[in-house]
Amino acid sequence: MSNPAYERLVQRHLRMHRLGHLQSIAAWDQSAFMPPKGNDARAAALAEVGGLLHEMGTAPELKTWLDEAAAEPLSDFERDSLREMRRAWDARNALPPSLVEAISLATSHCEHAWRTQRPANDWSGFLPNLKEVVRLQREMASRLSEAQGLSKYDALLDRYEPGMRSADIDRVFGDLRQWLPSLIQRVMVKQSTEAVLRPEGPFPKSAQRELGLAAMQLMGFDFEAGRLDESAHPFCGGVPEDVRMTTRYREDDCLPALMGVIHETGHGRYEQNLPREWLGLPVAEARSMGIHESQSLSFEMQLGSHPGFARQLAPLLQRHLGAQPAFEADNLHQLLTRVKPGYIRVDADEVTYPAHVILRYEIERALIEGEIECEDIPALWHAKMTELLGLSTEGNYTNGCMQDVHWSAGLFGYFPCYTLGAMYAAQWFATMRREMPDLDDRIARGDLIPVFDWLKAKVWSQGSRRSTPELVQRASGEPLNPAHFRAHLEARYL
Amino acid sequence: MSNPAYERLVQRHLRMHRLGHLQSIAAWDQSAFMPPKGNDARAAALAEVGGLLHEMGTAPELKTWLDEAAAEPLSDFERDSLREMRRAWDARNALPPSLVEAISLATSHCEHAWRTQRPANDWSGFLPNLKEVVRLQREMASRLSEAQGLSKYDALLDRYEPGMRSADIDRVFGDLRQWLPSLIQRVMVKQSTEAVLRPEGPFPKSAQRELGLAAMQLMGFDFEAGRLDESAHPFCGGVPEDVRMTTRYREDDCLPALMGVIHETGHGRYEQNLPREWLGLPVAEARSMGIHESQSLSFEMQLGSHPGFARQLAPLLQRHLGAQPAFEADNLHQLLTRVKPGYIRVDADEVTYPAHVILRYEIERALIEGEIECEDIPALWHAKMTELLGLSTEGNYTNGCMQDVHWSAGLFGYFPCYTLGAMYAAQWFATMRREMPDLDDRIARGDLIPVFDWLKAKVWSQGSRRSTPELVQRASGEPLNPAHFRAHLEARYL
Ligand SMILES: [Zn+2]
Ligand SMILES: [Zn+2]
């Protein structure tokens, strides 16, 4: 072994990967199958392995090995791998355990209370809890910012989208902000004259499940290396070697589960196609939150809501749920591209969704940088909703600033990734169209292999070998460019 | 804390219990849900946590704490608890790691080859692998026997049925051997004049699953603390807080899955009702293999095949699979009590089953004590099958001495527990009848609470607080007595 320190790091990470496997599967089971009385024992078991992994990941010898390995004659790949090991080490070791514990207590307290405060529209009950969460997030941001030489908000953002800075986001969201509200208005006017048929239910769960499985098949999911089950909150979990997707079904509407499954299949195929030969090392993990979302949105939006793709989906719907006029390809495409400003981010369409994210980004950045206080949130929320989507949220906390769990859970810096993902996805497809001029015809013919091959080559198989900006540059030949997202929306909706 | 060493032992065992939880759930998932390509990663993850648990359970400080705790002013309960901790420690530390590894290699090699050798009737291919397994089992038995002052076979038996000795088994199996063959003959003669209707299928899986769930409900299974799923080899796994039972379905026959589910429910309720306040300590675990089987056989045989119980099962079958004459209570009872000597242990009825176990016990005891060699097995098997069941296995290895996986897997000392369980179960019900003279009427009325309450008080809630002989004495007022099993069989079958 010519690089003993690097080799030791590899062995330690493989060991953590194997224990993390059990953690992931047990967490999936907790959401998908566990009966209620199992919860206390499961929580204790997950905390135990979580503590163990933290111990292994913060052990002092790791730091020694990281320093020693830096002086070893590593290959280019090993050097990238070492960079990601150090990144993971920094993330685990940057904060004093007392702060980590305080954050964990404050967020679980805030989140727990939020579950009843939100339906009760109880902002004044929620406010002190949120203030405590924000106080601790600011403290965390200060510490990380000092260690990394970043602004406070950037230090949080970097945890979810490494290398991304608020200056970049200001640039791309600033661009978006200029044309999005008027685009929404124009699309609304255009669509106001279109008659669209709603599917008539009920749609039994078992038929919807079969439909979802058929869609996953169409999208190339490897069923020998993963499953689809049910849970209250859909997610894509498990491990790269065995991906566990979940969805939930509404018997009165068949499209949310179907499009949800297609979305999660994008996450799932990314995980299934991460580089095998490095599996277990940080460098083999998915690059970032935004890049992950660029895959789910490539599947759900770029492909799933493509006018040609509706010709692939329509026969599946007819086969599994019975034929009805609403399931004709053209009507189906119209259903999947309805645009309507609404209060709720998670229910938003492709065009209005970024408005929800811009609003949250502007508020949370100012909050973390200390430019505003929690008390200012409702007024800002109302003002920005009015400005961006023409909706008032005065006095409406339930469907206003209390709608999402993210802030209660301390996930500041996470929201921008949703819209970054949408923009990356548009950029991927713009690049593919440049390289394959007949791409849209192929999609309409159901020939999706070129799309999957491209994503696999440019994104999936790369793991975390490159930083996000470098990955974007290599894949598309340019940095993140909001013009592609704009062109995509205008082409599809105008 | 007045007993610091004992307290440290408690904390260590609770920690192992929490990690063991993840191991159990991941192992269950591997059998019930895991897609094939997940297997390598799962095997590596299970090996990792298995190694970690072994490390924690053989750590030298544990030995120090065990010795120190013995001198602490423990309560009676703590003393029992300490005894079981020491028992678990001895079991993990008695063998040198090199022998453990050699056994693991030899058994997995033998078992793997057996999977194809058995259907090919390939005794000569199997023999050298088995000889290596037996050689290592003898070495293990020698070491354990020296450490514990037991005979070689008793040292192996003690791993599955603590406190049980081959002298005891000789006594009870010797008794059985005298009357069993003639009892089988008399039952066969009696049943030869009875006309029994076979159920007519097919029986869809989904309906059989609903039937199984209804039977579990009838048997008091707590669905808030457990589940029923499918696997190739039915088992009862998971953890006491969250019991994971599995079964398999044959569409042409509905009784195997139903009775299998009832059997596993007995195992499951034992686990669900282990003492909660000590959970995680060895003293809270199920007492032994034989006692565990006494619960599954209490459910499957004592209750499940009780003539009165057929009146409870019949309406369930009719409701879930449709009414047919074979599902009338009397005919159902006859179906569940058919006696017919056969080659295969796992397919045997309640009356002929002990013959299969006696045969294996006699051969494996002689093998481990060095009185015979592996080459002698087929002739002995044939002679004993002829003697006990009137069946020749000359040249038939597939359905003769190669039918079970136990010996390939190195499970010498395990077979007797099946019949010990049947005898314990008969003794439990004899005791209940003495204490509750109207027991059989209650069972026929579907009033099963007294049975469950008795089992809970005398067995489930006891965990491993007492040795098996002490548990039997306390529960039934006498040592294991084969007369109860005989009386049970004669009353039910003659
Ligand atoms: Zn997503
Ligand atoms: Zn059993």
Side-chain angles (χ1 to χ4, degrees):
Chain A
M1 217 65 74
S2 59
N3 300 315
Y6 178 76
E7 258 319 303
R8 277 191 209 104
L9 287 167
V10 166
Q11 293 313 317
R12 172 65 56 90
H13 280 96
L14 291 179
R15 198 164 181 216
M16 292 169 68
H17 176 69
R18 292 191 285 266
L19 292 174
H21 175 123
L22 301 176
Q23 190 181 35
S24 296
I25 294 297
W28 160 81
D29 177 83
Q30 187 176 35
S31 298
F33 285 120
M34 191 190 71
K37 288 185 189 165
N39 196 52
D40 288 351
R42 181 64 51 85
L46 287 171
E48 187 69 47
V49 74
L52 189 67
L53 284 168
H54 185 78
E55 229 172 79
M56 293 172 77
T58 54
E61 67 265 26
L62 222 59
K63 176 82 174 85
T64 311
W65 297 340
L66 285 167
D67 292 341
E68 287 173 9
E72 289 177 342
L74 301 181
S75 69
D76 282 355
F77 164 72
E78 288 165 339
R79 209 151 285 286
D80 292 335
S81 167
L82 183 64
R83 181 198 65 225
E84 292 302 317
M85 288 175 182
R86 182 170 288 276
R87 210 183 111 72
W89 194 88
D90 285 342
R92 277 190 302 263
N93 289 274
L95 301 174
S98 60
L99 179 58
V100 174
E101 200 183 340
I103 289 173
S104 160
L105 281 173
T107 53
S108 62
H109 175 67
C110 185
E111 189 179 330
H112 182 78
W114 169 81
R115 298 203 180 280
T116 47
Q117 285 162 344
R118 185 196 166 196
N121 201 39
D122 179 11
W123 168 253
S124 62
F126 180 63
L127 181 60
N129 296 342
L130 182 65
K131 283 176 77 74
E132 175 63 7
V133 170
V134 168
R135 186 182 71 76
L136 292 164
Q137 289 289 311
R138 284 171 172 173
E139 189 180 333
M140 172 161 88
S142 286
R143 286 176 179 273
L144 295 174
S145 124
E146 270 171 48
Q148 302 173 31
L150 296 173
S151 81
K152 287 181 192 169
Y153 184 76
D154 283 1
L156 297 187
L157 179 62
D158 196 74
R159 303 167 78 214
Y160 306 107
E161 198 63 23
M164 182 61 66
R165 303 289 171 251
S166 42
D168 303 310
I169 297 190
D170 287 341
R171 173 176 63 84
V172 292
F173 283 13
D175 182 278
L176 222 89
R177 221 184 191 299
Q178 285 176 21
W179 47 263
L180 190 68
S182 76
L183 176 67
I184 293 170
Q185 290 313 314
R186 286 153 70 203
V187 176
M188 299 262 294
V189 169
K190 171 162 184 281
Q191 292 193 346
S192 65
T193 60
E194 297 171 1
V196 185
L197 298 172
R198 308 277 335 157
E200 276 176 36
F203 306 104
K205 265 191 192 190
S206 58
Q208 287 195 64
R209 178 176 151 78
E210 292 303 318
L211 171 63
L213 293 172
M216 287 167 74
Q217 190 97 48
L218 184 68
M219 307 305 276
F221 186 82
D222 182 355
F223 285 98
E224 298 217 313
R227 302 177 44 88
L228 172 69
D229 295 288
E230 262 182 86
S231 74
H233 302 282
F235 65 98
C236 176
V239 292
E241 304 95 328
D242 180 1
V243 167
R244 303 294 172 101
M245 281 172 46
T246 68
T247 189
R248 73 180 149 218
Y249 303 102
R250 287 174 47 179
E251 301 231 319
D252 65 332
D253 195 355
C254 58
L255 294 180
L258 175 62
M259 297 315 284
V261 163
I262 291 175
H263 178 99
E264 298 301 334
T265 304
H267 287 306
R269 289 209 68 192
Y270 188 6
E271 291 288 323
Q272 286 187 330
N273 288 282
L274 286 167
R276 282 311 150 118
E277 57 284 26
W278 325 325
L279 219 58
L281 304 185
V283 71
E285 286 172 21
R287 176 62 278 180
S288 69
M289 251 303 299
I291 298 295
H292 230 309
E293 204 63 12
S294 83
Q295 300 311 298
S296 53
L297 294 177
S298 286
F299 276 53
E300 182 191 357
M301 295 304 180
Q302 295 295 328
L303 282 179
S305 304
H306 187 284
F309 191 76
R311 294 195 225 156
Q312 304 303 316
L313 275 185
L316 291 189
L317 279 154
Q318 291 160 13
R319 184 172 326 137
H320 291 283
L321 304 179
Q324 55 172 287
F327 291 158
E328 295 300 327
D330 289 343
N331 190 74
L332 182 60
H333 177 63
Q334 284 186 298
L335 278 169
L336 294 176
T337 49
R338 279 303 84 180
V339 173
K340 188 166 187 290
Y343 292 105
I344 304 298
R345 176 185 59 85
V346 294
D347 295 338
D349 56 78
E350 189 180 13
V351 182
T352 58
Y353 200 107
H356 293 272
V357 170
I358 291 172
L359 173 155
R360 284 156 180 74
Y361 165 68
E362 292 176 355
I363 294 175
E364 71 175 22
R365 203 195 55 72
L367 202 53
I368 293 299
E369 297 293 357
E371 297 159 10
I372 61 167
E373 292 303 327
C374 292
E375 286 80 352
D376 302 323
I377 294 176
L380 282 167
W381 197 284
H382 167 69
K384 288 174 192 291
M385 277 299 278
T386 306
E387 181 190 355
L388 290 163
L389 291 174
L391 293 171
S392 156
T393 59
E394 225 169 343
N396 186 348
Y397 310 104
T398 305
N399 296 329
C401 60
M402 285 175 72
Q403 68 181 264
D404 289 316
V405 74
H406 297 57
W407 288 345
S408 306
L411 297 174
F412 290 85
Y414 191 102
F415 275 124
C417 301
Y418 292 115
T419 290
L420 291 174
M423 296 173 115
Y424 294 138
Q427 192 154 332
W428 306 150
F429 277 77
T431 310
M432 282 184 236
R433 269 188 198 95
R434 227 168 38 231
E435 296 172 6
M436 296 180 270
D438 63 341
L439 184 76
D440 294 287
D441 293 340
R442 283 177 181 232
I443 292 172
R445 287 200 309 271
D447 178 14
L448 306 176
I449 302 292
V451 173
F452 300 144
D453 282 350
W454 192 96
L455 292 172
K456 182 169 182 170
K458 305 291 185 177
V459 183
W460 305 341
S461 66
Q462 298 301 308
S464 289
R465 182 101 199 248
R466 323 284 173 199
S467 72
T468 302
E470 209 181 334
L471 178 78
V472 174
Q473 179 74 43
R474 279 175 171 256
S476 65
E478 60 178 327
L480 176 58
N481 178 356
H484 298 300
F485 187 50
R486 180 178 189 171
H488 159 67
L489 293 182
E490 290 181 348
R492 181 171 287 176
Y493 291 92
L494 289 185
Chain B
M1 218 66 74
S2 60
N3 300 315
Y6 178 76
E7 258 319 301
R8 278 189 207 105
L9 286 167
V10 166
Q11 294 312 319
R12 171 67 55 92
H13 280 96
L14 292 180
R15 195 161 186 218
M16 292 171 67
H17 176 69
R18 292 192 285 265
L19 291 174
H21 175 122
L22 301 176
Q23 190 182 34
S24 296
I25 294 297
W28 160 83
D29 177 83
Q30 187 176 34
S31 297
F33 285 119
M34 191 191 71
K37 288 185 188 165
N39 197 53
D40 288 353
R42 182 64 51 87
L46 287 171
E48 188 69 49
V49 74
L52 189 66
L53 284 168
H54 185 78
E55 229 173 78
M56 292 171 78
T58 55
E61 68 265 26
L62 221 59
K63 175 83 174 86
T64 312
W65 298 341
L66 285 167
D67 293 341
E68 286 172 8
E72 289 177 342
L74 301 180
S75 69
D76 282 355
F77 164 72
E78 288 165 339
R79 210 151 283 288
D80 291 335
S81 168
L82 183 64
R83 180 196 67 225
E84 293 302 316
M85 289 176 181
R86 183 169 287 278
R87 214 185 107 72
W89 194 88
D90 286 342
R92 278 191 301 264
N93 290 274
L95 301 175
S98 60
L99 180 58
V100 174
E101 198 182 344
I103 289 173
S104 160
L105 281 174
T107 53
S108 62
H109 175 67
C110 185
E111 192 179 328
H112 182 78
W114 168 81
R115 299 201 179 278
T116 46
Q117 286 163 342
R118 185 196 166 195
N121 201 40
D122 179 12
W123 169 253
S124 62
F126 179 63
L127 182 60
N129 296 342
L130 182 65
K131 283 174 78 74
E132 176 63 6
V133 170
V134 167
R135 186 183 71 76
L136 291 163
Q137 289 289 310
R138 284 171 172 172
E139 190 181 332
M140 171 163 87
S142 285
R143 285 175 180 273
L144 295 174
S145 124
E146 270 171 47
Q148 302 172 28
L150 297 174
S151 81
K152 289 181 189 170
Y153 184 76
D154 283 0
L156 297 187
L157 180 62
D158 196 73
R159 302 167 78 214
Y160 306 108
E161 198 60 24
M164 183 60 65
R165 303 290 170 251
S166 45
D168 303 310
I169 297 190
D170 287 342
R171 174 176 63 84
V172 294
F173 283 12
D175 180 279
L176 223 90
R177 219 184 193 299
Q178 285 176 21
W179 49 263
L180 190 67
S182 77
L183 175 66
I184 294 170
Q185 290 313 312
R186 286 153 70 203
V187 175
M188 300 263 293
V189 169
K190 172 162 181 285
Q191 293 192 347
S192 65
T193 61
E194 297 171 2
V196 184
L197 299 170
R198 307 278 334 161
E200 276 175 38
F203 306 104
K205 267 192 190 187
S206 57
Q208 286 196 63
R209 178 176 150 79
E210 291 303 317
L211 172 62
L213 293 172
M216 287 166 75
Q217 189 97 49
L218 184 67
M219 307 305 275
F221 187 84
D222 182 355
F223 285 98
E224 298 218 312
R227 303 178 41 91
L228 173 69
D229 295 287
E230 263 183 85
S231 74
H233 301 280
F235 66 97
C236 175
V239 293
E241 303 94 328
D242 180 0
V243 168
R244 304 294 173 100
M245 282 173 44
T246 69
T247 189
R248 73 181 148 216
Y249 302 102
R250 287 175 46 180
E251 299 231 319
D252 64 333
D253 196 353
C254 59
L255 294 179
L258 175 62
M259 298 315 285
V261 163
I262 291 175
H263 178 101
E264 298 302 335
T265 304
H267 287 306
R269 289 210 66 191
Y270 188 5
E271 292 287 322
Q272 285 187 330
N273 288 281
L274 286 167
R276 282 309 150 120
E277 56 284 25
W278 326 324
L279 219 59
L281 305 185
V283 71
E285 287 172 21
R287 177 62 276 182
S288 69
M289 252 300 299
I291 298 294
H292 229 309
E293 203 64 11
S294 83
Q295 300 310 299
S296 53
L297 294 176
S298 286
F299 276 53
E300 181 190 357
M301 295 303 180
Q302 295 294 328
L303 283 180
S305 304
H306 187 285
F309 190 77
R311 293 195 225 156
Q312 304 303 317
L313 276 186
L316 290 189
L317 280 153
Q318 291 160 14
R319 183 172 327 138
H320 291 282
L321 304 179
Q324 56 172 285
F327 291 159
E328 295 300 325
D330 289 344
N331 189 74
L332 181 61
H333 176 63
Q334 285 187 300
L335 278 169
L336 293 175
T337 50
R338 280 302 84 181
V339 173
K340 189 166 187 289
Y343 292 104
I344 304 299
R345 177 185 59 83
V346 295
D347 295 338
D349 55 77
E350 187 179 13
V351 182
T352 59
Y353 198 108
H356 294 271
V357 170
I358 291 171
L359 173 156
R360 284 155 179 77
Y361 164 68
E362 292 176 356
I363 294 175
E364 71 176 21
R365 202 196 55 73
L367 202 55
I368 294 299
E369 296 294 355
E371 296 161 11
I372 61 168
E373 293 303 326
C374 291
E375 287 82 351
D376 302 322
I377 294 175
L380 282 168
W381 197 284
H382 166 68
K384 288 173 193 291
M385 277 300 276
T386 307
E387 182 191 354
L388 290 163
L389 292 173
L391 295 170
S392 157
T393 59
E394 226 169 343
N396 185 347
Y397 309 105
T398 305
N399 295 328
C401 60
M402 285 175 72
Q403 69 182 261
D404 289 315
V405 74
H406 297 56
W407 288 345
S408 305
L411 297 174
F412 291 85
Y414 191 103
F415 276 124
C417 301
Y418 292 115
T419 290
L420 291 173
M423 295 172 119
Y424 295 138
Q427 193 154 333
W428 306 150
F429 276 77
T431 310
M432 282 184 236
R433 268 185 199 97
R434 229 169 36 233
E435 295 173 5
M436 296 179 269
D438 62 341
L439 184 75
D440 295 286
D441 293 339
R442 284 177 179 231
I443 292 172
R445 287 201 309 269
D447 176 14
L448 306 176
I449 302 292
V451 173
F452 299 144
D453 283 349
W454 192 97
L455 292 173
K456 181 167 184 173
K458 305 291 185 175
V459 182
W460 303 341
S461 66
Q462 298 300 309
S464 289
R465 180 100 202 248
R466 323 284 173 196
S467 72
T468 303
E470 209 182 332
L471 178 78
V472 174
Q473 180 75 43
R474 278 175 172 255
S476 66
E478 60 176 327
L480 176 58
N481 178 356
H484 299 300
F485 187 51
R486 179 178 190 172
H488 158 67
L489 292 182
E490 289 181 349
R492 180 170 287 177
Y493 291 91
L494 289 184

